[in-house]
Amino acid sequence: MAGYKRLFYRVALWTWRRSSRMSRNDSSAVFGEAGFSSCRPKARQDVEVDIYERLPVPFGLVRFGVAPDHPEVKNVINTFTQTGKNARCGFYGNVNIGKDVSVKELQQAYHAVILSYGAEGNRSMGIPGEDLAGVYSAKDFVGWYNGLPSCQQLSPDLSCETAVVLGQGNVALDVARILLSPIDMLKKTDITQAALEALMESQVRRVLIVGRRGPIQVACTVKEVREMVNLPGAKPQMLPTDFDGVREALKDLPRPRKRLTELMLKAAIELPAEKEQEKSNKASRSWGFRFFRSPVQVLPSDDGTRTAGIRLAVNKLEGSGEAARAVLTGEVEDVTCGLVISSIGYKSLLIDPSVPFDSQKAIVPNLMGRVQQAAGLYCSGWLKTGPTGVIATTMNNSFETARSLIEDMDSGKLDLSADKSGAQKITNLLEKREIKPVTFSGWEKIDRVETTRGGSTGKPREKMLTVEEMLQLAWM
Ligand code: NAP
């Protein structure tokens, strides 16, 4: 590969554990879709790309974020694997950028560095009672059932009948669906065995998905709502009054929003057809959106040790359409529940003080992926845009970053004059610091064992749950 320009990618996406408690071995920023996508477009033969990842395993959000019952979404792994196996692409798992190696050191070793480590932080509700037992962030809950090593101690208490999910985005719907799905459906997925066993024992029968605005403003998409409506053994239970005036507004809505709203309206108001009525009568579980409600306090049990309910402020809307704002009416309402899952979004964190960071927006300030005031530094994924959009959105945003970089190479804006030794320099540093990376073939060993273990119980894979086990296998 002599003579190739070396380009460094730090590609990582999302941790589920508060960073203050993170140590190297339970760290979990993961190399995800934004990173792999940044590697793909119009591959240039004169560029080598090395990918650094905090965990020993790649694929980030696709492995640890996408719901286990959405296997079709995970098919992008096949494309990412082709990228990972490309002779000009190096993978260095088990390397924690900002701790094991600094961004400055990477910049000295490579002509360009792309930061793509996602949104590992959690938007906090900032309300009293948030720290009570029985309150979890969706980020941790999703990490728990998806096998993220740093979330395996969560062991959520599912002994209550009612769960409240705060927020109405797709993550909230993923969580609600997993809580209510029949075990027979889940046991064919790559959900962890520990989560499967906990869900088997779960007493949760009712999930309320609470949003501060109305039906026309929900953040989730029609596919996810349809999955809830069609969920075997569960019936929708909404408040018809939440839909006052919604039918009249339908005609002015853009098409995707209209389809979504019609579906919710049907589930909330229309009497089910005979066949559906039969299904509904048999359903032992229920779910429903609750609109115009903002969380104000998690209510403690009598002994003050755990969650007994949630106090919600009742809102009205100011303005119309998707931009309408929730305004407090002064009324409050208490809902009894033993489980509260906060799903109000993620935020990116600063991993290295040398990187420009906009703490207000929680992104790296950039123009089309070029980090402002930092030549040779680029960003992609949620770190670039904030935590929004599906996999295709993230892929496009990463292609844009790759295009910006190539443009800068061609225009001379990116300094390519110095000879840079890339991974050679970084692996020397790592060796001195006693850090042993995991290569892509190391990950493939883990992959083979996981799929074999899963195959024996009819699952696509049984994920390893500790970094230690992953390392042991990868280094064998
Ligand atoms: P999201 O789509 O941004 O939804 C966040 C939700 O939290 C919204 O309902 C928002 O309400 C609410 N919220 C925010 N701040 C709040 C506050 N202070 N008080 C009360 N409610 C608050 O975020 P997400 O669900 O975490 O998903 C992130 C991205 O990943 C989205 O683009 C999503 O589509 C994508 N994703 C896709 C899939 C899939 O395709 N199946 C699965 C998971 C995630 P407002 O609207 O009022 O702000």
Side-chain angles (χ1 to χ4, degrees):
M1 294 292 156
Y4 284 142
K5 304 296 178 203
R6 285 182 189 271
L7 159 66
F8 162 79
Y9 272 35
R10 152 68 173 152
V11 187
L13 193 77
W14 224 331
T15 61
W16 270 259
R17 186 153 181 176
R18 278 172 211 136
S19 51
S20 56
R21 277 196 266 142
M22 247 188 259
S23 68
R24 221 177 66 74
N25 281 342
D26 68 9
S27 65
S28 50
V30 283
F31 167 36
E33 67 208 44
F36 273 102
S37 304
S38 302
C39 304
R40 274 184 51 214
K42 290 228 171 181
R44 288 193 38 151
Q45 300 301 312
D46 58 351
V47 173
E48 285 181 348
V49 179
D50 292 331
I51 296 163
Y52 291 78
E53 156 62 44
R54 188 149 55 179
L55 278 177
V57 295
F59 309 138
L61 177 64
V62 181
R63 179 179 163 104
F64 294 116
V66 171
D69 57 345
H70 284 171
E72 70 291 349
V73 181
K74 302 185 196 212
N75 286 342
V76 284
I77 283 182
N78 299 331
T79 315
F80 295 165
T81 299
Q82 280 173 22
T83 305
K85 286 175 140 177
N86 187 304
R88 287 182 294 108
C89 182
F91 176 75
Y92 299 90
N94 192 41
V95 181
N96 195 347
I97 303 300
K99 283 194 178 153
D100 300 336
V101 181
S102 70
V103 172
K104 275 259 163 330
E105 286 168 331
L106 291 173
Q107 289 190 281
Q108 283 157 10
Y110 291 88
H111 292 105
V113 174
I114 301 182
L115 302 163
S116 189
Y117 61 86
E120 61 182 294
N122 198 28
R123 266 196 217 142
S124 121
M125 295 187 287
I127 59 172
E130 203 169 352
D131 294 329
L132 280 170
V135 183
Y136 306 95
S137 72
K139 186 171 71 76
D140 288 346
F141 195 77
V142 171
W144 167 69
Y145 64 63
N146 271 336
L148 188 69
S150 57
C151 295
Q152 293 314 300
Q153 301 306 317
L154 197 74
S155 301
D157 182 350
L158 306 177
S159 62
C160 62
E161 193 171 310
T162 300
V164 165
V165 183
L166 299 166
Q168 295 180 325
N170 281 334
V171 172
L173 267 75
D174 281 352
V175 165
R177 195 177 64 255
I178 295 298
L179 279 170
L180 294 177
S181 284
I183 292 298
D184 281 349
M185 275 168 71
L186 292 178
K187 70 183 184 196
K188 296 180 199 135
T189 74
D190 67 3
I191 193 167
T192 68
Q193 192 56 29
L196 198 59
E197 283 165 19
L199 288 163
M200 248 181 238
E201 300 295 314
S202 167
Q203 298 302 306
V204 175
R205 295 286 171 269
R206 178 176 180 242
V207 178
L208 300 179
I209 308 161
V210 176
R212 57 183 168 182
R213 301 190 292 157
I216 293 175
Q217 291 81 28
V218 282
C220 55
T221 44
V222 70
K223 173 178 171 272
E224 282 65 28
V225 176
R226 193 172 298 119
E227 285 173 330
M228 290 303 293
V229 170
N230 294 333
L231 199 60
K235 61 184 165 196
Q237 277 184 342
M238 316 265 203
L239 299 177
T241 50
D242 276 355
F243 289 82
D244 286 350
V246 168
R247 194 179 292 282
E248 295 70 26
L250 279 178
K251 62 179 184 339
D252 299 321
L253 298 179
R255 199 169 147 64
R257 172 68 68 186
K258 186 171 174 209
R259 280 173 51 223
L260 168 62
T261 314
E262 279 170 341
L263 181 62
M264 288 188 292
L265 200 56
K266 187 165 177 245
I269 292 182
E270 281 182 21
L271 280 177
E274 202 175 318
K275 201 169 140 215
E276 285 163 25
Q277 183 68 57
E278 204 180 311
K279 176 192 158 217
S280 171
N281 291 343
K282 283 192 196 147
S284 59
R285 298 174 169 194
S286 70
W287 65 276
F289 286 116
R290 288 294 176 273
F291 295 104
F292 310 110
R293 304 286 187 272
S294 291
V296 282
Q297 185 186 355
V298 180
L299 303 168
S301 54
D302 288 342
D303 62 5
T305 57
R306 54 166 299 108
T307 304
I310 184 143
R311 180 158 296 160
L312 301 169
V314 180
N315 301 328
K316 60 180 180 186
L317 285 191
E318 218 172 66
S320 61
E322 293 187 23
R325 284 182 51 239
V327 179
L328 298 177
T329 60
E331 252 181 88
V332 293
E333 157 186 301
D334 291 349
V335 175
T336 303
C337 63
L339 177 63
V340 172
I341 298 179
S342 158
S343 182
I344 63 168
Y346 300 78
K347 65 175 184 188
S348 295
L349 302 176
L350 179 63
I351 58 158
D352 185 306
S354 74
V355 176
F357 194 72
D358 180 336
S359 356
Q360 194 90 37
K361 295 186 183 151
I363 57 166
V364 168
N366 70 92
L367 279 175
M368 298 173 83
R370 296 175 179 96
V371 178
Q372 287 174 6
Q373 319 290 339
L377 199 58
Y378 298 80
C379 61
S380 72
W382 283 5
L383 187 64
K384 170 184 174 187
T385 58
T388 171
V390 295
I391 290 182
T393 331
T394 306
M395 287 173 91
N396 284 329
N397 119 13
S398 305
F399 294 159
E400 180 191 67
T401 296
R403 275 194 298 272
S404 295
L405 197 155
I406 290 168
E407 261 172 47
D408 293 351
M409 286 174 73
D410 291 344
S411 69
K413 202 170 155 193
L414 184 64
D415 182 4
L416 302 172
S417 57
D419 194 17
K420 305 247 182 176
S421 66
Q424 200 185 329
K425 182 176 169 105
I426 299 299
T427 46
N428 283 344
L429 278 180
L430 289 171
E431 202 178 325
K432 280 190 204 130
R433 293 167 193 172
E434 297 182 8
I435 308 290
K436 194 170 167 189
V438 170
T439 59
F440 204 76
S441 61
W443 145 246
E444 287 180 311
K445 287 185 202 164
I446 298 174
D447 184 38
R448 276 194 294 276
V449 171
E450 286 187 343
T451 44
T452 307
R453 282 181 190 168
S456 65
T457 54
K459 297 168 84 176
R461 74 173 60 239
E462 189 62 57
K463 290 179 191 166
M464 289 180 197
L465 301 181
T466 65
V467 168
E468 288 73 18
E469 191 185 5
M470 292 173 184
L471 291 179
Q472 220 172 34
L473 215 110
W475 290 339
M476 251 169 44

